[in-house]
Amino acid sequence: MRSIWNGAISFGLVSIPIKLVNATESRSVSFRQIHTEDGGRVRYKKVCELDGEEVPQAEIGKAYEDADGTMIPITEEDLAALPLPTAKTIEIVAFVPAGDIDPLQMDAAYYLSANGVPAAKPYTLLREALKRSEKVAVAKYALRGRERLGMLRVVDDVIAMHGLLWPDEIRAPEGVAPENPVSVRDAELDLADALMATLGEVDMSTLHDDYRTAVEEMIAAKAEGGEGVAPPDTGEERGGGQVIDLMAALENSVRAAKEARGEGGEGEGKAEGKAEGKAEAEVTQLTSRARTPKSTDTKKSTSKTPAKKTAAAAHKSTAKTAKTATKKTPAKSTATKSTATKKTAAKKTTAKKATPRKRTA
């Protein structure tokens, strides 16, 4: 990679020669301006507004425009005379936890490469010190004619530097938050948590620019004499600023996320079946809880409690009666049988006495 700046890292009394290279690159598709009538390129010309003549690059200088519109010329000699101790040095001023850096301050990213064999040892020393301390270095440096703020951290085995905006360059978020107070129920937060859990994590390396891909396909089609690519039919139009049913939107989002995750292989779907079923049950329970007011739940719970107790008592009483009946039945049956036997015997005796004996002639 081509270096854009050569200098040194100032680490106390240790100086580490380094090269600065861009860590990022733009992959966006760029366009040119053309004359729509004949397709000719439209180019810019730098023209002096006083005489209307085009000015060559060698005759173009710098100036500061005052509040009243007055131009104050600034030469390169004027800028070179200013005190700029970080002109060729990345001066480390402190080591702080990474959490102390507001992500809003993040700007361009660079890699710092050791410049030459002698720089390898101090470069490795700083890199390992940053790793062990689990901190980042805050530094000042100068680039493209002005002093800047930077943050040094370790990426793999390389020291990377993020350009930072100065604290006074971060605007306060005044008038950005919703003006009207809004309350969110715990059940809605629970369902939002369920959606976050369903979406899960993502491998950042798999993310790509779908729009750029579509633009490249469209350009390729037109280059071959085609009419480009027809827009996809989504089946529905998405409108902005509409009032929506938040709970329904969350439910549908969870369902859509589950379906999207199920687009993997068949084996993967089977392996995740139990987890998906459990998540589905949790979402259903959370949805039911969110849609049912707390007062109704209390009333239902209160009304159901006596019924449960009454049913339990009735069941207990029935069991006790059945048990008692089981114990008394054999004795009662024996007594009945004994009484019937005695009555039969008495009847036979009475009949015997009542029958007259025949006389013998």
Side-chain angles (χ1 to χ4, degrees):
M1 290 183 283
R2 186 176 63 86
S3 64
I4 61 173
W5 183 90
N6 292 347
I9 300 175
S10 175
F11 179 30
L13 297 178
V14 179
S15 180
I16 310 171
I18 57 96
K19 295 179 180 179
L20 190 72
V21 298
N22 283 318
T24 62
E25 60 181 339
S26 175
R27 294 293 183 89
S28 299
V29 179
S30 58
F31 299 99
R32 302 292 187 184
Q33 290 185 331
I34 63 170
H35 185 199
T36 57
E37 294 294 330
D38 54 19
R41 278 281 305 275
V42 175
R43 298 180 180 273
Y44 291 99
K45 290 184 178 181
K46 296 181 179 181
V47 179
C48 176
E49 64 179 15
L50 296 180
D51 57 17
E53 297 292 331
E54 183 177 356
V55 181
Q57 184 64 37
E59 297 180 11
I60 296 177
K62 297 178 181 178
Y64 174 80
E65 185 176 3
D66 205 353
D68 59 358
T70 303
M71 294 295 177
I72 304 174
I74 304 295
T75 65
E76 294 297 331
E77 290 75 14
D78 294 333
L79 295 174
L82 295 175
L84 190 60
T86 57
K88 284 293 182 180
T89 305
I90 298 175
E91 181 183 351
I92 296 177
V93 297
F95 293 88
V96 300
D100 289 357
I101 305 298
D102 191 338
L104 286 174
Q105 290 184 253
M106 295 291 187
D107 200 0
Y110 308 94
Y111 288 135
L112 304 182
S113 171
N115 191 3
V117 176
K121 182 63 178 290
Y123 182 95
T124 304
L125 172 65
L126 176 59
R127 183 191 67 196
E128 296 305 313
L130 287 171
K131 281 184 180 180
R132 190 167 71 172
S133 67
E134 297 182 349
K135 292 184 177 181
V136 297
V138 177
K140 289 183 178 181
Y141 67 102
L143 185 65
R144 299 186 180 95
R146 71 183 187 93
E147 190 170 58
R148 303 167 188 264
L149 191 64
M151 178 192 76
L152 277 64
R153 69 185 183 96
V154 178
V155 177
D156 295 333
D157 288 331
V158 176
I159 299 176
M161 181 173 72
H162 294 269
L164 299 178
L165 299 175
W166 296 98
D168 59 358
E169 292 180 314
I170 305 298
R171 300 171 62 183
E174 297 177 354
V176 179
E179 297 180 359
N180 300 326
V182 179
S183 60
V184 180
R185 292 182 293 170
D186 290 339
E188 293 170 333
L189 287 174
D190 291 340
L191 195 53
D193 290 340
L195 174 57
M196 293 168 64
T198 304
L199 292 174
E201 300 178 356
V202 66
D203 181 1
M204 297 295 291
S205 63
T206 62
L207 301 179
H208 56 88
D209 188 349
D210 293 327
Y211 178 76
R212 187 186 74 201
T213 302
V215 170
E216 291 172 348
E217 292 176 353
M218 177 266 293
I219 292 173
K222 292 181 75 69
E224 295 176 358
E227 296 296 328
V229 180
D233 183 10
T234 59
E236 58 180 5
E237 296 182 358
R238 294 184 179 181
Q242 297 179 354
V243 178
I244 61 173
D245 184 345
L246 182 58
M247 293 304 300
L250 287 172
E251 294 168 25
N252 294 334
S253 299
V254 172
R255 190 177 300 108
K258 288 178 182 293
E259 292 176 356
R261 288 179 59 186
E263 290 180 356
E266 183 178 355
E268 182 182 352
K270 290 181 179 179
E272 295 182 353
K274 293 184 179 179
E276 295 292 341
K278 184 178 180 181
E280 185 70 28
E282 290 178 355
V283 171
T284 303
Q285 184 179 5
L286 291 171
T287 305
S288 177
R289 188 190 309 166
R291 293 189 177 279
T292 305
K294 292 184 178 180
S295 59
T296 306
D297 292 341
T298 306
K299 290 180 181 180
K300 287 184 177 180
S301 177
T302 306
S303 62
K304 286 183 179 180
T305 302
K308 288 183 178 179
K309 289 184 177 180
T310 305
H315 178 72
K316 187 175 181 181
S317 176
T318 305
K320 186 175 180 181
T321 305
K323 187 176 180 181
T324 305
T326 304
K327 289 181 178 179
K328 290 182 178 181
T329 300
K332 185 175 181 180
S333 177
T334 305
T336 304
K337 187 175 181 181
S338 177
T339 305
T341 304
K342 289 180 180 179
K343 286 182 178 180
T344 304
K347 285 181 179 181
K348 288 182 178 180
T349 305
T350 306
K352 189 177 182 181
K353 290 180 179 180
T355 304
R357 295 181 178 179
K358 290 184 180 181
R359 293 182 179 179
T360 304

